[in-house]
Every structure is written in C-alpha cells, then in structure tokens.
Amino acid sequence: MGVDLSRSTLAGWLGQLQVLVEPLVGRLTEHLLAEGLLHADETPVPVLDPGAGKTATGYLWAYRSGAWSSLQAVAFDFAMSRR
C-alpha cells in the first residue's frame, strides 16, 4: 500500500503483541506438555554473546501433539542450554 514502516516500529509492535498473547501461549503450552506423548525437535542456533565477544549456541525447541490427540497444537521454546 506504499506505507513505509521503520524496523523499530515493527519491532515495537511485535514486542507489544508478545506481551498480550503470553498468557494464552502459557496455557496452551501447559495443556500441550500434559499430553501423554509429544513430538519434539531441537534446533541449535547461534546467539550473540556480547560479554564474550563471540557467539554462543542456543536451542530452539518445537513441541507438537500427536495426530491422534484431540489437542492439535505446536509450542516453541528457546533456551541457552539443553537443561
């Protein structure tokens, strides 16, 4: 539509949206993790580590309910370790 939006404006909107949907995501994740069986995937990703002056390895996790489950959901999580 010809409207230029700055990167900082878009990032701000996404940050505000994250705050609004956080309770919903939390409840969905609780229900998902209560499933008897989950599919999970771990993807290592490089993360800037300003204190060390280099990159560290973080982990992006995806959890999905099974095809037979009445709850059809996927949740994503990020952690700096596998713990």
Side-chain angles (χ1 to χ4, degrees):
M1 303 194 116
V3 177
D4 289 324
L5 297 171
S6 71
R7 186 178 199 150
S8 63
T9 297
L10 294 173
W13 287 351
L14 285 176
Q16 291 174 12
L17 179 62
Q18 186 272 332
V19 169
L20 292 173
V21 300
E22 188 173 358
L24 178 63
V25 171
R27 288 292 288 154
L28 175 66
T29 302
E30 284 178 25
H31 286 286
L32 185 60
L33 295 178
E35 290 284 302
L37 182 66
L38 288 177
H39 299 282
D41 180 66
E42 165 202 284
T43 302
V45 292
V47 179
L48 291 177
D49 187 1
K54 56 183 179 179
T55 59
T57 299
Y59 299 92
L60 181 62
W61 292 87
Y63 304 100
R64 187 192 188 299
S65 55
W68 58 88
S69 174
S70 61
L71 174 66
Q72 291 297 298
V74 177
F76 298 93
D77 194 16
F78 175 81
M80 285 303 296
S81 72
R82 289 184 170 134
R83 288 188 301 166

